Amino acid sequence: MAAATSGHDDRKRNVRRTALWLGLVAVAFYLGFIAMGVLRSVH
Amino acid sequence: MTTTSSIAHHQPADPVREHHEDELHDDHGPEKGWRRWVFATNHKDIGTMYLLFSLLMFFIGGTMAMVIRAELFKPGLQLVDPMFFNSMTSMHALIMIFGAVMPAFVGLANWMIPLQVGAPDMALPRMNNFSFWILPFAFTLLLGTLFVPGGAPAGGWTMYPPLVLQTGNAFPMLIFAVHLMGASSIMGAINVIVTIMNMRAPGMSLLKMPMFVWSWLITAYLLIAVMPVLAGAVTMLLTDHYFKTTFFEAAGGGDPVMFQHIFWFFGHPEVYIMILPSFGIVSEIIPTFSRKKLFGYDSMVYAIASIAFLSFIVWAHHMFTVGMPLAGQLFFMLATMLIAVPTGVKVFNWTATMFKGSLSFEPPMLFALSFLFLFTIGGFSGLMLAIVPADFQYHDTYFVVAHFHYVLVPGAVFGIMAGVYYWLPKWTGHMYDMKLAKWHFWLSTIFVNVLFFPQHFLGLAGMPRRIPDYNTQFADWNMVSSIGAFGFGLSQLLFAYLIFSSIRGRANASDKVWDDATPHGLEWTLSSPPPYHSFETAPELK
């Protein structure tokens, strides 16, 4: 039972971690392209 | 693919389940009334809402297409104001892309990915609810622009500055609606990836996944990479309009062409976002009705991945005519042509799957075959457009309109229809009227060609896009095209009728649905319709 519960918790943790990473990638693309626009208009 | 146990209703004592009984909600069915839909966290309910929303948008966007084709039926007609005509072309595109095609694929993903990977639900059910319920607000906002001073956006779905900055009160509504649609897509994509990477049944390695799941996994990565780019571009438009920035304004040191680069960095992968899931669907259907295994499974996966990669390095082929260095033209031309290689692999593999197969022609197979032939036509005209000097002639003509409609209608939309006809009896538990579905197929296939094929001739003869009236030399083929449009539009009423009659109930479908064929995959091991909570005990693959 303990092993099964820990498997469930592991999965939950993995789900959270994957979602967080993907969210960060999306935010990086969003801010990165705006930053690129800023840099281009500064030069 | 085999499973070690029957799956659908069997619930053995399971410590994980006992421990987390509250979260699983497995002691009851759906909530009653509106709460079931507003607070939905079940992937099947959310999938159904996505699909019905998409159907509604398909008809709204289709009505706009009818307005366009009515205006173009004959030269000299002025059924609608030219500005309204321009709004119709822009809104038709926005609604069909973001409201009809993409939500339809997300709906199919919601229904099928958990069933195909043996998961009880999507990994993030509450976010799933949120990403759906954003959409009605986004599209209310977008459609609301039709009623504000200055009218709906009329500068094209590409929103190029400085033209788009002339939009009236609709401008902030457009920008906010695009942000909402983007947020919804990103959340949907995160959910798909997280589900596939963490919730697959034991024994289902990546290269054992069904092709539809593979196609969606890659599509979801594309979405996460490019939807924020679109959001960034429209954010900069917003600040240019209201906060005195000059990202895209030459007078302030900005560059309007930069918008085009950023937009198409999103826009070209977006094309593949709208076609890759169709590839996955067709790869499920053709083996079933050929009664053979898919030819070259691994190469199909690598081909999709290659197409996705190449989609990031071809964007400037949409803007050869704005001017770029010769090296740039050569690079984008050759990179674009390279996409024909993995696409050719796929077409070859689908054909090889059918070779010496025992074929039968049920509605899903008919739509898959139509997809195969007509999408290939769209692919070929795409190759023509990739040739820089030829593109200088074709750019902004009806040839381009014909090209992308061949890719998106008999490509993306027929793929969706094939998928719906394939899985609808599994979802509802009822078989639809096969004869009427075949009528729908034949009418759609004939009229889609009557509608779009003449547009190649119009484009080659020089008819520009996005004009409400035209020279009399273009009269005949425009009339043919409009007749095709009305026929195609009316034929889709049959599709809606078949869906709702299947929901209401006709002959019961068996668990396998296609008993005479060879459907593979975990979804066919469940009952038709599947239980409200499926795969609470993960099936194990040998």
Short mmCIF file of all heavy atoms in Angstrom, two decimals, chain B residues 48 52 424 428 430 497-506:
data_model
loop_
_atom_site.label_atom_id
_atom_site.label_comp_id
_atom_site.label_asym_id
_atom_site.label_seq_id
_atom_site.Cartn_x
_atom_site.Cartn_y
_atom_site.Cartn_z
N THR B 48 -16.54 16.79 -25.41
CA THR B 48 -17.82 17.02 -26.08
C THR B 48 -18.09 18.51 -26.23
O THR B 48 -18.52 18.98 -27.29
CB THR B 48 -18.95 16.36 -25.24
OG1 THR B 48 -18.66 14.97 -25.12
CG2 THR B 48 -20.31 16.55 -25.90
N LEU B 52 -18.64 20.47 -29.76
CA LEU B 52 -19.88 21.18 -30.10
C LEU B 52 -19.61 22.67 -30.33
O LEU B 52 -20.19 23.28 -31.22
CB LEU B 52 -20.92 20.98 -28.98
CG LEU B 52 -21.46 19.54 -28.87
CD1 LEU B 52 -22.44 19.42 -27.70
CD2 LEU B 52 -22.14 19.09 -30.17
N LEU B 424 -17.32 8.54 -33.39
CA LEU B 424 -18.64 8.97 -32.89
C LEU B 424 -19.45 7.81 -32.28
O LEU B 424 -20.02 7.96 -31.19
CB LEU B 424 -19.43 9.66 -34.02
CG LEU B 424 -20.77 10.28 -33.64
CD1 LEU B 424 -20.61 11.41 -32.64
CD2 LEU B 424 -21.48 10.81 -34.90
N THR B 428 -20.95 7.90 -28.47
CA THR B 428 -22.39 7.98 -28.17
C THR B 428 -22.99 6.60 -27.88
O THR B 428 -24.06 6.50 -27.29
CB THR B 428 -23.16 8.59 -29.35
OG1 THR B 428 -23.05 7.70 -30.47
CG2 THR B 428 -22.63 9.96 -29.71
N HIS B 430 -24.05 4.82 -30.27
CA HIS B 430 -25.03 4.62 -31.35
C HIS B 430 -24.37 4.79 -32.71
O HIS B 430 -23.61 5.73 -32.92
CB HIS B 430 -26.16 5.64 -31.25
CG HIS B 430 -26.87 5.60 -29.93
ND1 HIS B 430 -27.64 4.54 -29.54
CD2 HIS B 430 -26.91 6.49 -28.90
CE1 HIS B 430 -28.13 4.78 -28.32
NE2 HIS B 430 -27.69 5.95 -27.90
N TYR B 497 -26.77 17.03 -38.70
CA TYR B 497 -27.91 16.13 -38.46
C TYR B 497 -27.42 14.76 -37.99
O TYR B 497 -27.94 14.19 -37.03
CB TYR B 497 -28.77 16.02 -39.73
CG TYR B 497 -29.79 14.92 -39.62
CD1 TYR B 497 -30.95 15.09 -38.85
CD2 TYR B 497 -29.57 13.67 -40.23
CE1 TYR B 497 -31.88 14.07 -38.72
CE2 TYR B 497 -30.48 12.65 -40.09
CZ TYR B 497 -31.63 12.84 -39.34
OH TYR B 497 -32.53 11.82 -39.19
N LEU B 498 -26.38 14.25 -38.68
CA LEU B 498 -25.89 12.91 -38.34
C LEU B 498 -25.32 12.86 -36.93
O LEU B 498 -25.52 11.89 -36.20
CB LEU B 498 -24.82 12.49 -39.36
CG LEU B 498 -25.39 12.03 -40.70
CD1 LEU B 498 -24.34 12.07 -41.79
CD2 LEU B 498 -25.96 10.62 -40.58
N ILE B 499 -24.62 13.93 -36.54
CA ILE B 499 -24.05 13.96 -35.19
C ILE B 499 -25.17 13.94 -34.15
O ILE B 499 -25.17 13.13 -33.21
CB ILE B 499 -23.16 15.21 -35.01
CG1 ILE B 499 -21.89 15.07 -35.84
CG2 ILE B 499 -22.80 15.42 -33.54
CD1 ILE B 499 -21.05 16.32 -35.91
N PHE B 500 -26.16 14.82 -34.34
CA PHE B 500 -27.21 14.91 -33.32
C PHE B 500 -28.11 13.67 -33.32
O PHE B 500 -28.59 13.25 -32.27
CB PHE B 500 -28.00 16.21 -33.48
CG PHE B 500 -27.20 17.41 -33.04
CD1 PHE B 500 -26.71 18.32 -33.96
CD2 PHE B 500 -26.89 17.59 -31.70
CE1 PHE B 500 -25.94 19.40 -33.56
CE2 PHE B 500 -26.11 18.67 -31.28
CZ PHE B 500 -25.64 19.57 -32.21
N SER B 501 -28.30 13.07 -34.50
CA SER B 501 -29.12 11.85 -34.50
C SER B 501 -28.36 10.71 -33.82
O SER B 501 -28.98 9.85 -33.19
CB SER B 501 -29.55 11.48 -35.92
OG SER B 501 -28.44 11.12 -36.67
N SER B 502 -27.03 10.72 -33.93
CA SER B 502 -26.26 9.67 -33.24
C SER B 502 -26.28 9.89 -31.73
O SER B 502 -26.33 8.94 -30.95
CB SER B 502 -24.82 9.68 -33.76
OG SER B 502 -24.04 8.78 -33.02
N ILE B 503 -26.27 11.18 -31.31
CA ILE B 503 -26.33 11.47 -29.87
C ILE B 503 -27.69 11.02 -29.31
O ILE B 503 -27.78 10.41 -28.25
CB ILE B 503 -26.10 12.97 -29.61
CG1 ILE B 503 -24.67 13.37 -29.96
CG2 ILE B 503 -26.40 13.33 -28.14
CD1 ILE B 503 -24.39 14.86 -29.95
N ARG B 504 -28.75 11.34 -30.08
CA ARG B 504 -30.10 10.99 -29.61
C ARG B 504 -30.33 9.49 -29.60
O ARG B 504 -31.14 8.98 -28.85
CB ARG B 504 -31.15 11.68 -30.47
CG ARG B 504 -31.39 13.13 -30.09
CD ARG B 504 -32.82 13.55 -30.42
NE ARG B 504 -33.27 13.03 -31.70
CZ ARG B 504 -33.09 13.66 -32.87
NH1 ARG B 504 -32.48 14.80 -32.92
NH2 ARG B 504 -33.54 13.13 -33.99
N GLY B 505 -29.61 8.78 -30.50
CA GLY B 505 -29.71 7.32 -30.46
C GLY B 505 -30.34 6.71 -31.67
O GLY B 505 -31.45 7.08 -32.05
N ARG B 506 -29.60 5.79 -32.30
CA ARG B 506 -30.13 4.95 -33.36
C ARG B 506 -29.75 3.53 -32.98
O ARG B 506 -29.85 3.18 -31.81
CB ARG B 506 -29.51 5.34 -34.70
CG ARG B 506 -30.07 6.61 -35.31
CD ARG B 506 -29.30 6.93 -36.58
NE ARG B 506 -29.25 5.79 -37.49
CZ ARG B 506 -30.19 5.49 -38.39
NH1 ARG B 506 -31.27 6.24 -38.51
NH2 ARG B 506 -30.07 4.44 -39.19
#
